[in-house]
Amino acid sequence: MQAEGLLLRVDERDRQRLDHYERAFSYKPREIGYSETGTAYLAYVSDRTPPTLTAKWSLANWTDRYAPLAISAAKEVMSYLGTPWAENLPRMRGMIEARAWSRHLARTRDLSTANPTREVQSEGHTRKHAGFFRFDEYRLRHGRFDGSMSGLLTREVFVGSDAALVLPYDPVRDEVVLIEQFRMGPFARSDPAPWVYEPIAGLVDPGEDPSETALREALEEAGLTIDRLEPIAATYASPGAATDFFHCYLGFCSLDTAESWLGGEKDEGEDIRSHRLSFADAIALVDTGRINVAPLAMMLHWLARNRERLRTA
């Protein structure tokens, strides 16, 4: 096997930085030869089975689509150099890349409907925890409504990533599909009923449009093929404490053969059951408090407001 590459001469400090970065991809240095002076040639290789390529890989195509994302993710990877979290990089890489993509989606949002912005002066931030999720402490000042600047504020934030949510709906049968699963939030709050109803949802993969995520997750979590998506809302889940951002859709589909479905990715610990309900039964679960997850309640209320239009379209 042959591969084109770039031969670099590095000192010990650079070698440590390269080892750290490649660790995120589960790559390790391996001696592949020696120069005439005895200098070792190293390559970074992985024991994992390489992905199957459907087309010839192109550096130019990769650069156009993924280079900005890779650079953004690399900054977070390198921020863990010399920290206790460095050894967890292979497990964290997926979320590091997802957070980089979330930052891109945030920066490229349409500001025509945004509230007027004011100055924010960052004094830096400190990482408190890094794993699947991240927890940071920020120090900043921001413009106040009276035109002055605030004093120095210290704020802690839970750093997640963007997610796509979809509520499957059959307008002919006037039925929806909800999923049910165990959730850590209610459990950690000491809720005696930590199994909750939710819309189908999944994290947006790097480079993926949220609508693509919604279609993929509907098939994975409930075995459903969505015919068409209609945007419901794009919202922060808890803006006072978290970066989580939800892209919410109604998914038009036929439920003539849909049954209760046990799904989810077992290697990710998911255990998901789907429920096919009439719209009337679903909205009744909101009214009684049986549905206590805000995104699902919001999406069902949106459907209630638009249902007649959608059924006659």
Side-chain angles (χ1 to χ4, degrees):
M1 177 182 294
Q2 292 183 336
E4 294 184 4
L6 180 65
L7 187 62
L8 300 175
R9 182 186 296 275
V10 299
D11 58 22
E12 183 60 28
R13 177 178 177 276
D14 290 336
R15 166 70 187 279
Q16 291 175 357
R17 292 173 63 83
L18 278 170
D19 287 354
H20 170 83
Y21 179 77
E22 295 295 344
R23 185 185 297 117
F25 302 89
S26 299
Y27 280 72
K28 298 178 182 179
R30 179 181 298 173
E31 293 184 358
I32 58 174
Y34 295 88
S35 69
E36 294 180 356
T37 60
T39 301
Y41 293 136
L42 302 177
Y44 287 89
V45 297
S46 174
D47 295 330
R48 297 182 303 172
T49 302
T52 301
L53 299 179
T54 57
K56 184 177 180 181
W57 187 83
S58 166
L59 176 61
N61 292 341
W62 181 90
T63 301
D64 289 341
R65 183 170 184 181
Y66 293 110
L69 170 65
I71 292 171
S72 180
K75 291 179 179 179
E76 180 173 343
V77 169
M78 298 310 297
S79 74
Y80 298 121
L81 181 64
T83 73
W85 304 296
E87 295 301 320
N88 295 329
L89 280 174
R91 185 172 66 90
M92 294 161 52
R93 182 173 64 88
M95 279 300 292
I96 289 173
E97 293 176 341
R99 285 192 286 265
W101 184 239
S102 295
R103 292 192 292 272
H104 168 77
L105 294 176
R107 286 192 295 264
T108 56
R109 64 166 293 195
D110 179 8
L111 293 178
S112 63
T113 59
N115 289 338
T117 60
R118 295 165 180 81
E119 183 182 4
V120 179
Q121 299 175 353
S122 175
E123 301 283 339
H125 70 279
T126 303
R127 187 126 320 138
K128 297 295 185 178
H129 170 77
F132 187 80
F133 298 114
R134 212 177 75 200
F135 192 69
D136 291 350
E137 179 185 271
Y138 282 81
R139 297 171 297 283
L140 56 85
R141 295 178 172 84
H142 66 75
R144 294 171 54 86
F145 292 117
D146 63 8
S148 65
M149 289 295 292
S150 72
L152 182 63
L153 304 173
T154 300
R155 295 290 185 266
E156 295 173 341
V157 64
F158 176 89
V159 185
S161 67
D162 285 22
L165 286 62
V166 58
L167 176 64
Y169 178 58
D170 185 331
V172 176
R173 293 168 178 78
D174 198 25
E175 294 177 334
V176 298
V177 169
L178 314 180
I179 65 167
E180 179 186 9
Q181 61 182 319
F182 172 83
R183 282 308 202 188
M184 277 302 302
F187 176 79
R189 184 174 172 260
S190 298
D191 191 324
W195 276 263
V196 298
Y197 290 126
E198 293 181 306
I200 292 169
L203 299 181
V204 180
D205 283 345
E208 187 175 49
D209 187 86
S211 62
E212 296 174 324
T213 309
L215 298 177
R216 171 171 52 78
E217 291 294 332
L219 187 61
E220 176 187 309
E221 293 192 352
L224 293 175
T225 299
I226 302 298
D227 300 320
R228 178 170 64 89
L229 293 171
E230 179 158 340
I232 293 178
T235 66
Y236 284 97
S238 182
T243 67
D244 290 348
F245 192 81
F246 294 163
H247 304 264
C248 304
Y249 301 93
L250 188 76
F252 291 89
C253 60
S254 174
L255 298 177
D256 57 340
T257 60
E259 299 178 356
S260 180
W261 175 274
L262 299 180
E265 294 291 337
K266 290 187 177 181
D267 59 353
E268 296 178 8
E270 293 182 335
D271 179 39
I272 298 171
R273 178 168 63 179
S274 65
H275 297 270
R276 175 182 170 183
L277 301 172
S278 69
F279 171 77
D281 287 344
I283 202 71
L285 293 177
V286 179
D287 294 337
T288 61
R290 181 82 176 272
I291 288 177
N292 56 2
V293 172
L296 178 56
M298 178 271 291
M299 295 166 80
L300 285 169
H301 280 302
W302 182 93
L303 179 55
R305 186 164 62 88
N306 292 275
R307 181 162 147 263
E308 291 306 316
R309 170 180 65 85
L310 298 172
R311 297 196 70 193
T312 57

